[in-house]
Amino acid sequence: MSKFSQKIGGSKRERSAPGEPMVWFSGMWLAIGILMIVFLLSVIVVNGLGVFWPKAVVQVELTEASEAGWKQSQYFAGELHKTQVRRVGSADGEAIPEIQLFVGNRDVYGFGFKFIDEHDVLQRTFPKGILLVERMEYGDLIAFPVKLQLADGKVIEAGDQGFDEELQRAVQRASDRRHEITHLERGEIGRVNQKMERLKMRLKKTELKGGNVKQVAAETKLEQDELQERYEKMAAEAAGLRARQKEETFHYRLVTGEQGSLELGGVVCFYYPNQLSTWTKLGHFFSSIWGFLSEEPREANTEGGVFPALFGTFVMTLIMCILVVPIGVVAAIYLQEYAKQGLVVRLVRIAVNNLAGVPSIVYGVFGLGFFVYMMGGSIDSLFYPERLPTPTFGTGGLLWASLTMALMTVPVVIVSTEEALASVTRGMREASLAAGASKWQTIQHIVLPGGLPGIITGMILAMARGAGEVAPLMLVGVVKLAPTLPLDTIAPYMHLERKFMHLGFHIYDLGFQSPDSEAAKPMVFATTLLLIALVVVLNAAAIIVREKLRKKYSSGAF
Amino acid sequence: MNLTSLLPIAMQKETIKSSAQQDESVGAEVSVSADVAESPAGRPDYIKVCDFSFNYVPAVRVLHNITMEIPERQVTAFIGPSGCGKTTLLRNFNRMNDLIDGVSHEGKIYVNDQDIYDRNLEVISLRKRIGMVFQKSNPFPKSIYENVIYSLRVSGQKKKAILDETVERSLKSAALWEETKDRLHDSALGLSGGQMQRLCIARAIANRPEILLMDEPCSALDPIATAKIEELITELKENFTVVIVTHNMQQATRVSDRAAYFYLGKLVEMDDTTKLFSNPEQKETEDYISGRFG
Ligand SMILES: Nc1ncnc2c1ncn2[C@@H]1O[C@H](COP(=O)(O)OP(=O)(O)OP(=O)(O)O)[C@@H](O)[C@H]1O
Ligand SMILES: [Mg+2]
């Protein structure tokens, strides 16, 4: 309104004055809303990315009188996490400033974080030589290096020339071996296991059908033996590699005085936190982001990466889209183009609109009851009777989760597709029909291309809802730790019956189910950021496709 | 060109059949005198409208008992004040009004002696024989090329040579070729209003329909394009039957052989154009064409 009156000119502007407070009022609320969203996003971005930025390690020396020390030691070293004020007793008690350190070395101390009162601190230093080691187990090690014991018996003291390079090489060797072990165990041995499983199932199937078990057993014996032999060979190879992982050790000394050693097989990476330049920090930042994205979780998900969850979310969303778009579009075409517009269609439309508002957990329960138990159960008893009582499809899995999500989001697609189809003008349809096109040809050549951007908008909405939903997924196939990805190199490659991990559930699991919530917090933020980023990326991709189509459509190149 | 030879065999048979059975039925109903039915050139009638009435909504009649004949390979102009039902009648010839919910009609319309409301008639094959230019131009949001060949596309024509040839011929006929020959694959939505209308004309004649229905085709065109379209209409009538709705009396006199004056949903008078404009029988017609009306 104000825009309008401003255009008209000076004399009218005064007349619109009574409307002005409303403009401010509504504008203010919009601003508040936007601010809240920006605030939320920036909290997530700052905290989520901050996880990957290497922090300096501070060594604090405690006063004689302090009781905060570990055993006899008056020292602590760790990353400074926050400074806050603690109140003694009630909320208005004496204010005591304190710091929180991430001290690491959970295997020794039994805790990862330590609160220390400011007045207990005698002095703070930043020792150059202190080393931070990311380990496969027990989180980070923060200590001074002592020596490196190599496989060939050579010992390199920490102060010696080339110590860091030698350590780096040893860590690299261990990491290579680790990859080899994973490759062996997941890939080769997995394949052999699967083949053996198939043979076993064949036997059981013949047994169920009342066939000649002995004959089949004899037939498969040779193959079985061969597989067993191969399995043992590879298992031995893996065991040998594992043993070598323990040969080289790294010795260290904590600031509290304890000495210890660490097998290099358990080291992920190491760096000197107080010697990093901005560039190396940046390098470390990006490499740990990459690690977060590409690695598997360790230690009850609180360490390592989230690759399985990222992949699971992505694949589930994709399958959901593949299922939901055709169903929704076809349904919308019927409703909008073919059905006689009357009371029934109106009722159906209202029902569809309301379905979009049904709480998602209801879909989860439906998915569990209908898809998992009824359909999955029937599939199992029809096609996989030999595996029972172990369910194959009769338990939550990727397919059922995708189907449940598709069911949940189909109203969104129907509604926006209907709108898109309705937006194609009558003149357009008439021109097509007058040219001798059939109804279906008109839909195909004129209405659907014209409605495509709107259909993709529906898909985007469905995707955003599907990727962010957690509650129903917990019932139909998401787990906190899936041993295998739903996609691998073992035929049939796509394992729709497998359980999978999901970023949304991962966040819930980390934040609320993990034993050490303080240790899990950085991961919660990082995973939240990743989930948001994934949804943004998926949506952006869809939007780009839509704009491309729009351009193509208006330039008529198809 | 023999028009019936364009039709598939099955349809020709049906045409013969229906024309045979029609002879008795129409003879009784047609009330217009014989000399009107036989146009000056002695051409047979192509579209016959027999006592046709039409409602958009029940009980509101927009066409009242229209009976008329439109001769083959001639240009027939519909004139009359706005809202008198010209478009409605025109849209009935290719059954475009079927698309509107709640419409109803009485009486019959024959195209080439075939009852177009016959239950056995396939409306798609009827529409393939009739080209239509709408009052509001409505190019598809596709390329110029695709717009022109749309009717061929939906008929399954895939040969590039034929499509190319059709595009060039149709665009040339619609006086649009020179302007668009270098941008055939650009969007049709980038054309000007008048160009769009000419594109719609090109689209309507692309598959050489037997009948061309034009609803005020020149209302958005400048005099040059109008002249070209009028030239096109004159050319087209060599082979096609043309029905044109126009508000432009000069245009009606220039292009049409016969003219029909409608008023309030009734056909007031229909005659040879020269006669209707020089010496109308009805007072209302005279008032309208001399501008004393509306
Ligand atoms: N879809 C429709 N539903 C209901 N009534 C309609 C519809 N289309 C046209 N009418 C009515 O039918 C009457 C005839 O309309 P028509 O479009 O045939 O007029 P016209 O002679 O073509 O007028 P113009 O010269 O302005 O184009 C008008 O009174 C109009 O209001
Ligand atoms: Mg009209």
Side-chain angles (χ1 to χ4, degrees), chain B residues 56 62 80-89 100 135 215-216 247:
Chain B
Y56 279 111
V62 291
S82 184
C84 68
K86 307 177 295 290
T87 300
T88 307
L89 182 59
I100 301 167
Q135 191 163 359
D215 201 346
E216 297 181 39
H247 283 294

Side-chain angles (χ1 to χ4, degrees), chain A residues 426 430, chain B residues 54-57 60-63 79-91 97 100-101 103 135 215-216 245-247 262 265 288:
Chain A
R426 166 170 225 122
E430 286 185 345
Chain B
F54 186 85
N55 299 5
Y56 279 111
V57 272
V60 185
R61 218 149 242 209
V62 291
L63 291 178
I79 56 173
S82 184
C84 68
K86 307 177 295 290
T87 300
T88 307
L89 182 59
L90 202 70
R91 285 166 53 93
N97 284 333
I100 301 167
D101 283 334
V103 299
Q135 191 163 359
D215 201 346
E216 297 181 39
V245 174
T246 177
H247 283 294
F262 292 85
Y288 181 72

Side-chain angles (χ1 to χ4, degrees), chain A residues 427 430 432 436 441 445 553-554, chain B residues 91 128 138 141-142 150 154 187:
Chain A
E430 286 185 345
S432 167
Q441 281 174 326
H445 293 297
Y553 184 59
S554 58
Chain B
R91 285 166 53 93
K128 282 198 199 311
N138 51 2
K142 294 172 180 275
Y150 186 75
V154 296
S187 170

Side-chain angles (χ1 to χ4, degrees), chain B residues 80-226:
Chain B
S82 184
C84 68
K86 307 177 295 290
T87 300
T88 307
L89 182 59
L90 202 70
R91 285 166 53 93
N92 266 307
F93 292 161
N94 64 348
R95 288 185 49 183
M96 283 319 275
N97 284 333
D98 288 14
L99 308 174
I100 301 167
D101 283 334
V103 299
S104 61
H105 70 273
E106 278 164 34
K108 284 195 176 351
I109 296 176
Y110 299 92
V111 170
N112 197 9
D113 289 337
Q114 195 173 16
D115 181 357
I116 64 162
Y117 280 101
D118 186 7
R119 207 171 297 191
N120 296 324
L121 175 122
E122 246 200 278
V123 68
I124 291 172
S125 66
L126 173 78
R127 288 188 188 139
K128 282 198 199 311
R129 290 153 58 196
I130 303 179
M132 186 162 201
V133 179
F134 291 80
Q135 191 163 359
K136 272 186 259 166
S137 73
N138 51 2
F140 300 129
K142 294 172 180 275
S143 67
I144 294 170
Y145 188 93
E146 285 295 328
N147 260 282
V148 176
I149 57 162
Y150 186 75
S151 54
L152 280 77
R153 273 252 190 275
V154 296
S155 310
Q157 181 60 262
K158 290 210 173 67
K159 292 207 185 75
K160 180 118 182 16
I162 296 181
L163 297 178
D164 287 347
E165 185 270 326
T166 306
V167 169
E168 183 169 349
R169 170 179 55 79
S170 310
L171 286 176
K172 274 185 177 154
S173 300
L176 193 60
W177 176 249
E178 287 305 319
E179 289 146 87
T180 55
K181 65 181 176 204
D182 301 321
R183 46 187 280 211
L184 289 177
H185 296 281
D186 289 0
S187 170
L189 300 183
L191 296 173
S192 76
Q195 287 172 329
M196 282 189 198
Q197 186 66 338
R198 277 178 280 156
L199 180 65
C200 292
I201 294 171
R203 184 174 67 190
I205 59 176
N207 70 337
R208 301 177 194 269
E210 300 157 33
I211 303 170
L212 187 60
L213 307 174
M214 304 176 106
D215 201 346
E216 297 181 39
C218 302
S219 57
L221 301 188
D222 64 274
I224 299 166
T226 304

Side-chain angles (χ1 to χ4, degrees), chain A residues 268-508:
Chain A
V268 180
C269 69
F270 69 94
Y271 60 93
Y272 294 95
N274 293 346
Q275 290 180 19
L276 297 178
S277 68
T278 313
W279 280 114
T280 43
K281 272 186 185 170
L282 260 179
H284 187 270
F285 176 71
F286 286 114
S287 78
S288 32
I289 289 182
W290 172 246
F292 176 70
L293 294 179
S294 63
E295 277 167 20
E296 284 175 26
R298 301 192 306 263
E299 307 201 49
N301 295 350
T302 57
E303 295 281 333
V306 291
F307 179 70
L310 176 63
F311 187 75
T313 313
F314 180 74
V315 169
M316 190 218 63
T317 311
L318 217 64
I319 297 179
M320 181 200 79
C321 277
I322 293 171
L323 291 170
V324 76
V325 171
I327 298 173
V329 169
V330 170
I333 287 179
Y334 181 78
L335 276 180
Q336 183 67 33
E337 303 290 323
Y338 287 110
K340 200 162 160 47
Q341 305 296 317
L343 185 70
V344 182
V345 169
R346 275 239 301 286
L347 285 177
V348 169
R349 219 168 257 150
I350 292 171
V352 166
N353 273 314
N354 282 326
L355 273 180
V358 171
S360 54
I361 192 74
V362 176
Y363 286 99
V365 173
F366 176 82
L368 183 67
F370 182 72
F371 292 133
V372 176
Y373 291 154
M374 266 178 68
M375 287 178 64
S378 323
I379 290 176
D380 274 1
S381 56
L382 279 176
F383 300 106
Y384 303 102
E386 71 277 7
R387 293 194 198 168
L388 287 173
T390 317
T392 309
F393 277 99
T395 173
L398 183 59
L399 177 67
W400 303 138
S402 306
L403 262 173
T404 306
M405 293 317 252
L407 193 73
M408 192 183 86
T409 50
V410 82
V412 182
V413 177
I414 292 181
V415 169
S416 48
T417 305
E418 266 209 89
E419 263 164 32
L421 298 182
S423 73
V424 177
T425 57
R426 166 170 225 122
M428 238 25 98
R429 294 160 199 264
E430 286 185 345
S432 167
L433 290 166
S438 66
K439 179 124 195 177
W440 171 240
Q441 281 174 326
T442 303
I443 292 173
Q444 197 188 346
H445 293 297
I446 304 298
V447 180
L448 273 182
L452 209 54
I455 293 171
I456 294 180
T457 304
M459 193 181 87
I460 291 172
L461 292 173
M463 236 157 49
R465 189 164 181 213
E469 197 63 67
V470 181
L473 291 177
M474 287 159 65
L475 301 182
V476 290
V478 164
V479 286
K480 60 181 288 173
L481 194 66
T484 44
L485 289 179
L487 193 73
D488 60 23
T489 53
I490 298 171
Y493 311 117
M494 191 80 208
H495 304 274
L496 291 174
E497 80 285 356
R498 282 193 188 161
K499 293 190 184 298
F500 63 105
M501 292 171 73
H502 186 275
L503 285 174
F505 183 67
H506 204 75
I507 294 169
Y508 166 76

